[in-house]
DNA sequence: ACAATGACTGAAT
DNA sequence: AATTCAGCCATTG
């Protein structure tokens, strides 16, 4: 699959935001999408994460979960278990593929980054 | 070009 | 409070 130049920029923006996520913090697709000015394109953010594998730079996609704190995209990683393991390594508590105290570790680029 | 899919979200039941 | 439905937007068949 090929990515148009136009969308590549969108992907790049997503990657930058994701890379800006502080360690021990997580965010949601919608938050990122909103930060990019496309609050309705949360799905595209997730799609961008899928493309993160093609990115030359390491994208901490494991810090990006849905607004429920659920690791919906863990299966898209090289090793699904790796996502949870990595999150736990950063001090998160995962239960049933869901981040406990998600609200405490949530990092909103719009607020924290104060765009 | 049309229809279907998806790492989502918000509203309705 | 939990489950279901519909809307969104880009990619793919």
């Amino acid at each position: 699959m090929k990515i148009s130049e136009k969308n590549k920029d969108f992907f790049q923006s997503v990657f930058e935001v994701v890379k800006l996520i502080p360690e021990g913090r997580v965010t949601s697709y919608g938050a990122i999408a909103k930060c990019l000015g496309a609050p309705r394109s949360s799905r595209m953010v997730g799609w961008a994460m899928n493309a993160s594998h093609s990115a030359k730079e390491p994208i901490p996609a494991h810090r990006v979960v849905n607004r429920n704190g659920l690791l919906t995209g863990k299966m898209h990683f090289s090793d699904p278990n790796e996502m949870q393991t990595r999150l736990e390594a950063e001090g998160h508590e995962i239960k049933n593929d869901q981040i406990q105290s998600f609200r405490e570790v949530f990092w909103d680029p719009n607020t924290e980054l104060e765009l």
Side-chain angles (χ1 to χ4, degrees), chain A residues 10-11 14-15 18 28-30 32-33 36 41-53 61 64-66 72-73 76:
Chain A
F10 176 76
F11 279 44
V14 175
F15 295 155
V18 174
S28 66
Y29 303 93
I32 296 172
L36 299 177
S41 301
S42 47
R43 286 188 146 107
M44 305 303 94
V45 176
W47 204 89
M49 293 289 88
N50 189 6
S52 68
H53 294 287
V64 184
V65 295
N66 68 352
T72 50
H76 289 267

XYZ file of all heavy atoms in Angstrom, chain A residues 10-11 14-15 18 28-30 32-33 36 41-53 61 64-66 72-73 76, chain B residues 6-9:
318
model
N 0.269 14.172 7.313
C -0.624 13.864 8.422
C 0.004 12.798 9.303
O 0.057 12.923 10.517
C -1.967 13.380 7.873
C -2.913 12.944 8.936
C -3.581 13.889 9.710
C -3.122 11.595 9.155
C -4.461 13.481 10.692
C -4.008 11.178 10.151
C -4.677 12.125 10.913
N 0.518 11.787 8.676
C 1.190 10.708 9.403
C 2.345 11.279 10.216
O 2.508 10.980 11.379
C 1.732 9.680 8.415
C 0.676 8.716 7.938
C -0.585 9.179 7.569
C 0.937 7.369 7.871
C -1.563 8.300 7.134
C -0.035 6.482 7.441
C -1.279 6.944 7.075
N 1.216 13.019 13.257
C 0.804 12.044 14.270
C 2.031 11.478 14.961
O 2.092 11.399 16.187
C -0.001 10.901 13.629
C -0.315 9.824 14.659
C -1.284 11.431 13.012
N 3.024 11.119 14.176
C 4.244 10.536 14.739
C 4.907 11.508 15.709
O 5.366 11.117 16.774
C 5.231 10.181 13.622
C 4.710 9.103 12.720
C 5.167 9.007 11.417
C 3.772 8.191 13.171
C 4.696 8.017 10.576
C 3.284 7.201 12.344
C 3.752 7.114 11.035
N 2.982 11.633 18.935
C 3.166 10.386 19.681
C 4.557 10.345 20.313
O 4.718 9.925 21.449
C 2.992 9.172 18.744
C 3.334 7.877 19.466
C 1.560 9.124 18.217
N -5.046 9.352 23.674
C -6.048 8.654 22.857
C -5.970 9.130 21.408
O -5.408 10.190 21.119
C -7.450 8.910 23.415
O -7.787 10.271 23.280
N -6.519 8.364 20.534
C -6.505 8.689 19.108
C -7.243 10.009 18.856
O -6.765 10.864 18.123
C -7.163 7.562 18.311
C -6.515 6.237 18.543
C -6.994 5.365 19.522
C -5.400 5.845 17.804
C -6.393 4.142 19.743
C -4.799 4.631 18.019
C -5.298 3.773 18.990
O -4.699 2.582 19.211
N -8.377 10.129 19.503
C -9.173 11.337 19.318
C -8.409 12.585 19.740
O -8.486 13.620 19.082
N -5.186 13.076 19.754
C -4.172 13.354 18.728
C -4.838 13.955 17.493
O -4.383 14.966 16.962
C -3.424 12.066 18.342
C -2.645 11.537 19.547
C -2.484 12.331 17.176
C -2.034 10.172 19.302
N -5.920 13.328 17.087
C -6.638 13.805 15.905
C -7.073 15.252 16.100
O -6.894 16.084 15.205
C -7.849 12.911 15.655
N -4.414 17.666 15.751
C -4.038 17.874 14.354
C -5.102 18.657 13.604
O -4.927 18.988 12.444
C -3.810 16.525 13.685
C -2.684 15.704 14.318
C -2.580 14.361 13.623
C -1.378 16.457 14.242
N -11.136 12.393 12.681
C -10.280 11.453 11.951
C -9.506 10.548 12.905
O -8.387 10.161 12.626
C -9.307 12.215 11.065
O -10.021 13.011 10.151
N -10.125 10.251 14.023
C -9.459 9.387 15.004
C -9.064 8.062 14.367
O -8.030 7.487 14.663
C -10.388 9.145 16.177
O -11.670 8.800 15.700
N -9.904 7.584 13.448
C -9.602 6.311 12.780
C -8.337 6.437 11.969
O -7.529 5.513 11.880
C -10.748 5.946 11.852
C -11.950 5.473 12.602
C -12.958 4.942 11.588
N -13.659 3.840 12.160
C -14.916 3.903 12.563
N -15.595 4.991 12.397
N -15.475 2.881 13.104
N -8.169 7.586 11.364
C -6.973 7.802 10.541
C -5.731 7.812 11.416
O -4.674 7.353 11.011
C -7.075 9.113 9.791
C -8.345 9.217 8.965
S -8.576 7.914 7.765
C -9.580 6.748 8.640
N -5.885 8.315 12.628
C -4.752 8.309 13.565
C -4.337 6.872 13.815
O -3.157 6.533 13.768
C -5.130 8.999 14.894
C -3.983 8.907 15.892
C -5.484 10.459 14.643
N -5.315 6.062 14.081
C -5.035 4.644 14.297
C -4.395 4.045 13.058
O -3.442 3.263 13.147
N -4.886 4.460 11.924
C -4.324 3.960 10.679
C -2.873 4.428 10.544
O -1.995 3.702 10.083
C -5.166 4.457 9.497
C -5.027 3.568 8.316
C -5.781 2.466 8.029
C -4.057 3.695 7.283
N -5.335 1.902 6.871
C -4.275 2.635 6.383
C -3.026 4.585 7.012
C -3.498 2.453 5.252
C -2.256 4.402 5.881
C -2.505 3.341 5.015
N -2.650 5.631 10.966
C -1.292 6.184 10.928
C -0.383 5.353 11.819
O 0.772 5.083 11.471
C -1.311 7.635 11.388
N -0.895 4.944 12.944
C -0.119 4.110 13.855
C 0.258 2.819 13.162
O 1.363 2.321 13.304
C -0.953 3.785 15.092
C -1.247 4.990 15.959
S 0.159 5.636 16.846
C 0.800 6.750 15.630
N -0.671 2.316 12.392
C -0.402 1.090 11.641
C 0.763 1.332 10.702
O 1.596 0.461 10.476
C -1.655 0.695 10.857
C -1.482 -0.683 10.253
O -0.498 -1.362 10.509
N -2.448 -1.097 9.474
N 0.840 2.531 10.185
C 1.917 2.888 9.264
C 3.198 3.195 10.020
O 4.267 3.308 9.427
C 1.489 4.092 8.437
N 3.093 3.343 11.333
C 4.273 3.676 12.145
C 5.347 2.608 12.002
O 6.531 2.871 12.185
C 3.869 3.827 13.614
O 3.485 2.574 14.136
N 4.907 1.414 11.628
C 5.877 0.319 11.444
C 6.808 0.635 10.285
O 7.963 0.236 10.275
C 5.125 -0.994 11.195
C 4.341 -1.415 12.379
N 4.912 -1.933 13.529
C 3.016 -1.359 12.620
C 3.960 -2.189 14.414
N 2.806 -1.853 13.894
N 3.962 3.687 19.781
C 2.526 3.532 19.533
C 1.836 2.867 20.715
O 0.631 2.970 20.859
C 2.328 2.708 18.259
N -0.332 4.963 22.750
C -1.572 5.458 22.155
C -2.655 4.391 22.247
O -2.529 3.326 21.655
C -1.349 5.836 20.675
C -2.622 6.444 20.087
C -0.190 6.812 20.547
N -3.692 4.711 22.992
C -4.802 3.771 23.153
C -6.117 4.492 22.863
O -6.122 5.697 22.648
C -4.819 3.218 24.589
C -3.574 2.390 24.854
C -4.948 4.347 25.599
N -7.169 3.754 22.859
C -8.450 4.411 22.597
C -8.875 5.196 23.839
O -8.237 5.149 24.882
C -9.507 3.382 22.204
C -9.869 2.481 23.367
O -9.235 2.520 24.408
N -10.873 1.687 23.179
N -6.547 -1.515 22.248
C -7.244 -2.068 21.080
C -6.290 -2.496 19.972
O -6.568 -3.425 19.248
C -8.220 -1.028 20.516
O -7.533 0.195 20.344
C -9.388 -0.834 21.434
N -5.186 -1.765 19.837
C -4.292 -2.055 18.712
C -3.100 -2.902 19.070
O -2.146 -3.000 18.315
N -1.638 -5.322 16.595
C -0.960 -4.814 15.402
C 0.549 -4.699 15.595
O 1.273 -4.386 14.671
C -1.535 -3.462 15.006
C -2.911 -3.584 14.441
N -3.160 -3.714 13.097
C -4.111 -3.635 15.058
C -4.463 -3.823 12.923
N -5.053 -3.777 14.078
P -12.203 -5.122 9.418
O -11.294 -6.268 9.544
O -13.542 -5.164 10.031
O -11.461 -3.821 9.981
C -10.169 -3.486 9.515
C -9.719 -2.151 10.115
O -10.442 -1.085 9.478
C -9.981 -2.039 11.618
O -8.870 -1.408 12.270
C -11.200 -1.142 11.704
C -11.017 -0.254 10.482
N -12.270 0.301 9.974
C -13.513 -0.266 9.981
N -14.437 0.497 9.468
C -13.758 1.648 9.105
C -14.226 2.838 8.507
O -15.369 3.137 8.155
N -13.195 3.753 8.310
C -11.891 3.553 8.643
N -11.038 4.544 8.374
N -11.437 2.443 9.208
C -12.420 1.540 9.406
P -7.944 -2.494 12.982
O -6.832 -2.884 12.123
O -8.880 -3.514 13.463
O -7.356 -1.648 14.185
C -7.857 -1.858 15.488
C -7.437 -0.710 16.354
O -6.009 -0.758 16.524
C -7.776 0.649 15.784
O -8.246 1.493 16.811
C -6.455 1.150 15.254
C -5.483 0.544 16.278
N -4.117 0.393 15.779
C -3.703 0.023 14.536
N -2.411 -0.027 14.403
C -1.927 0.322 15.656
C -0.641 0.448 16.183
N 0.455 0.219 15.491
N -0.524 0.818 17.467
C -1.624 1.038 18.175
N -2.897 0.947 17.789
C -2.974 0.574 16.509
P -9.856 1.415 17.167
O -10.015 1.231 18.589
O -10.609 0.595 16.200
O -10.168 2.929 16.829
C -9.231 3.967 17.045
C -9.976 5.261 17.290
O -11.070 5.347 16.360
C -10.591 5.366 18.691
O -10.490 6.712 19.173
C -12.028 4.971 18.465
C -12.295 5.481 17.070
N -13.337 4.699 16.379
C -14.483 5.362 15.951
O -14.585 6.576 16.137
N -15.459 4.654 15.349
C -15.316 3.343 15.163
N -16.311 2.697 14.571
C -14.149 2.659 15.588
C -13.196 3.354 16.184
P -11.026 7.040 20.644
O -10.193 8.110 21.217
O -11.267 5.783 21.383
O -12.435 7.693 20.269
C -12.462 8.747 19.300
C -13.813 9.421 19.320
O -14.765 8.658 18.540
C -14.408 9.594 20.714
O -14.975 10.889 20.835
C -15.475 8.516 20.787
C -15.905 8.353 19.338
N -16.357 6.992 18.978
C -17.494 6.868 18.199
O -18.132 7.817 17.797
N -17.849 5.578 17.901
C -17.204 4.427 18.286
O -17.635 3.334 17.949
C -16.018 4.632 19.098
C -15.254 3.455 19.570
C -15.660 5.884 19.392
